[in-house]
Amino acid sequence: MNTETRIVVLGAGYTGMLAAVRLARRTRGRGVHITIVNPVARFAERLRMHQVAAGQELADYRIPDLLRGTGIEFLQGRATAIDPVLRRVTVDDTRLLDYDHLIYALGGVAATDTVPGAAEYACTLDNPVAVHHFSRRAAEIAARGGEVAVIGGGLTGIEAATEIAAGNPGLRVTLISNAEPGAMMGERARGYLNRALDRLGIARLVGSAVTEVRPDAVELASGERIPADLTLWTAGVRGVPLAAQSGIATDARGLILVDQTLKSLSHPEIHAVGDAAAVRMPWGPLHGTCQSGMPTAAYTADAIARELRGKPVRPFRFGYIHQPVSLGRDDAVIQFTHRDDTPRRWYLTGRAAVRYKEMVSGSPVPVFHLSKKMNVAVTLPAGEYATAA
């Protein structure tokens, strides 16, 4: 009789990697086998995709190298089905993986299905190969003074627009947003952000929804037509459809509905982390960021380890601490926040903010390595992340 506990992790991004590595250390010698499934062997630094869009090259981290010494099995492939009754995952329609616990860490994808033409004609930051292609096109267009539209005025859209403008001085960049860019920030930090956008020559169109994306333009609800040789879509995120297609309970955006311990409400042997989970705190829902995603991964690893030892698990708690935003390579603004992500009085700008942002963006890979040896805190001390212990 097989007494080995089988744990399958779907997705080797920030949350999947941390959950797998931390869990491997916490269950070493306890008859646990962990398999992590990912379509490619290269680790994608999603926090830096806006840099790739501007033509920069990132470090080439390989998932097998990051997992070395953990005992985790890496399976390169795409999860194509989940049978939550049989507790089985199908990979590439051919290989079957049975599990006792499933960690669903497939993240989110850009919601390009909400506007006609967005899926066909707009690039997103989801696929590194497509982002590299976007960067090459942007450089070509910049040489002839072309135009790029960035749709979405959240932090991702701001970082992408500023990085692209700073890296391609010949481009005319337009940031299109329903709300004012940086609306979540305090007045002074938002003022600094707007001055940076002005310095980089980024035009803003605020308050007019996009109704269609075309190969050479963006149409607005106001009737205005914005010329665009390239369009980058950063407006809205939805869950990967695999969970809903597999009969796992999800919300309207396809995120897995979870309880206070991040277990699926419909199938409690499934644990959802990061952007894939619909997590609610007493003050409201979490929104998808690495800042909240990494703590959900660390918590889930601890929770499963405790459950396997027959120990109780405390509910997940989390509080935001900051909104770090790069404004090209040489500038940034950091808005410090209350735990519900509303702005505090304090903010940071300029070179100090650049160093702070780089520390944040560069922290996940060192955390993976350290997590092979010890439990690593994945928020700053002001945060309210609680382990399952």
Side-chain angles (χ1 to χ4, degrees), residues 52-386:
V52 178
Q56 300 164 38
E57 290 295 330
L58 304 182
D60 186 7
Y61 295 115
R62 294 286 156 172
I63 293 169
D65 295 336
L66 296 175
L67 296 176
R68 186 170 292 121
T70 64
I72 298 168
E73 177 187 1
F74 171 57
L75 176 58
Q76 186 172 338
R78 187 178 301 277
T80 51
I82 302 171
D83 187 329
V85 177
L86 295 179
R87 300 188 183 184
R88 179 173 293 164
V89 175
T90 303
V91 179
D92 290 334
D93 296 321
T94 56
R95 180 163 177 179
L96 302 178
L97 293 177
D98 293 323
Y99 63 84
D100 299 295
H101 292 271
L102 176 68
I103 300 177
Y104 190 98
L106 292 178
V109 294
T112 55
D113 56 347
T114 57
V115 170
E120 293 82 6
Y121 303 120
C123 180
T124 73
L125 298 179
D126 295 338
N127 184 330
V129 174
V131 178
H132 274 98
H133 177 69
F134 177 95
S135 71
R136 290 191 292 270
R137 288 282 316 282
E140 295 168 1
I141 293 166
R144 54 181 172 83
E147 297 172 294
V148 168
V150 178
I151 300 174
L155 302 188
T156 301
I158 293 167
E159 290 194 324
T162 53
E163 201 77 57
I164 292 165
N168 300 276
L171 278 179
R172 294 191 294 276
V173 179
T174 301
L175 182 60
I176 303 172
S177 175
N178 284 330
E180 181 183 359
M184 72 295 293
M185 293 181 163
E187 182 178 350
R188 291 182 296 171
R190 191 167 61 251
Y192 185 90
L193 165 65
N194 279 308
R195 289 191 294 275
L197 294 174
D198 289 339
R199 172 174 51 80
L200 291 167
I202 298 172
R204 278 92 81 193
L205 291 174
V206 178
S208 188
V210 174
T211 56
E212 185 177 0
V213 177
R214 297 188 176 186
D216 60 352
V218 174
E219 301 282 348
L220 304 181
S222 62
E224 191 173 0
R225 186 175 185 271
I226 309 302
D229 300 292
L230 273 177
T231 299
L232 182 68
W233 186 276
T234 71
V237 176
R238 61 173 174 79
V240 174
L242 179 62
Q245 291 170 355
S246 301
I248 302 164
T250 62
D251 67 6
R253 293 189 298 148
L255 310 185
I256 294 178
L257 297 170
V258 295
D259 65 13
Q260 291 184 319
T261 62
L262 307 188
K263 290 183 175 183
S264 162
L265 291 180
S266 59
H267 300 88
E269 66 282 352
I270 297 175
H271 310 254
V273 296
D275 294 356
V279 184
R280 289 195 67 87
M281 294 289 98
W283 40 263
L286 295 189
H287 56 82
T289 65
C290 190
Q291 182 184 176
S292 58
M294 295 280 278
T296 66
Y299 169 90
T300 293
D302 295 348
I304 294 175
R306 289 185 65 83
E307 187 174 324
L308 293 177
R309 296 197 301 270
K311 294 187 176 182
V313 174
R314 296 191 308 190
F316 176 75
R317 297 198 315 274
F318 173 81
Y320 290 100
I321 55 175
H322 58 198
Q323 298 161 355
V325 188
S326 62
L327 303 170
R329 290 296 82 205
D330 299 322
D331 201 1
V333 57
I334 315 297
Q335 173 68 68
F336 295 100
T337 69
H338 299 284
R339 65 191 188 112
D340 63 356
D341 209 30
T342 54
R344 292 182 180 271
R345 292 177 54 194
W346 305 290
Y347 68 103
L348 191 65
T349 63
R351 296 304 302 173
V354 170
R355 291 191 291 271
Y356 187 105
K357 179 62 166 66
E358 182 57 29
M359 177 194 71
V360 171
S361 297
S363 64
V365 170
V367 166
F368 300 155
H369 289 303
L370 285 173
S371 294
K372 299 176 184 180
K373 303 174 183 178
M374 65 185 75
N375 273 6
V376 180
V378 290
T379 63
L380 296 178
E384 291 208 10
Y385 160 61

